[in-house]
């Protein structure tokens, strides 16, 4: 029997997480994508703590008009700015089981443009 969409994504996510782990010096940039919103957070997996977070529901981003891809780029820029303020320059990108395409790709490119390295 074929896997459901969520089961397939969970398997891919587990496979990615076996390889990628975040530390305080190089945290994991985790992406979650819902139908309407997109969320990004920098996670220190050693301590199990979220260092910085940004989403399309933040006040400065939620007021902006545009497509979901354009909003994703703004979220990427926001997370990069917050990370640089916190003294974080390099991260490991965790696409969360989603394809590197569309909104996930837009978020990553926005973060790179704002100065985050991964």
């Amino acid at each position: 029997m074929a896997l459901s969409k969520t089961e397939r994504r969970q398997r891919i996510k587990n496979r990615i997480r076996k390889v990628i782990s975040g530390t305080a010096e190089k945290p994991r940039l985790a992406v979650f994508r819902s139908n309407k919103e997109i969320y990004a957070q920098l996670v220190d997996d050693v301590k199990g703590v979220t260092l910085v977070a940004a989403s399309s529901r933040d006040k400065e981003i939620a007021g902006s008009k545009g497509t979901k891809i354009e909003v994703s780029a703004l979220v990427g820029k926001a997370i990069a700015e917050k990370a640089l303020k916190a003294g974080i320059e390099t991260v490991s990108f965790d696409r969360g089981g989603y394809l590197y395409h569309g909104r996930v790709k837009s978020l990553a490119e926005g973060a790179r443009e704002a100065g985050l390295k991964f």
Side-chain angles (χ1 to χ4, degrees):
M1 189 168 169
L3 293 173
S4 71
K5 203 173 197 181
T6 53
E7 289 170 336
R8 179 183 171 279
R9 184 178 152 257
Q10 190 61 44
R11 280 194 181 180
I12 295 169
K13 188 176 177 181
N14 291 339
R15 196 165 54 231
I16 292 169
R17 285 298 310 275
K18 278 193 281 188
V19 178
I20 296 175
S21 180
T23 63
E25 297 81 35
K26 188 176 179 181
R28 176 172 55 93
L29 174 56
V31 176
F32 175 73
R33 189 190 77 186
S34 72
N35 284 339
K36 288 185 177 182
E37 313 290 345
I38 190 157
Y39 306 85
Q41 57 183 354
L42 295 179
V43 182
D44 176 5
D45 289 316
V46 176
K47 293 182 182 174
V49 186
T50 298
L51 305 172
V52 178
S55 76
S56 56
R57 298 185 72 180
D58 292 347
K59 288 182 181 178
E60 59 273 1
I61 297 171
S64 64
K65 298 286 182 189
T67 64
K68 291 190 275 188
I69 290 177
E70 292 166 352
V71 171
S72 297
L74 293 176
V75 172
K77 288 177 184 172
I79 191 99
E81 289 167 5
K82 289 180 181 180
L84 292 173
K85 273 187 190 171
I88 300 165
E89 293 179 3
T90 59
V91 297
S92 54
F93 188 68
D94 177 10
R95 58 191 173 88
Y98 303 108
L99 294 177
Y100 187 79
H101 178 74
R103 290 192 280 159
V104 176
K105 183 177 179 181
S106 175
L107 187 142
E109 289 173 350
R112 279 193 187 108
E113 283 176 18
L116 214 54
K117 294 180 186 130
F118 54 94

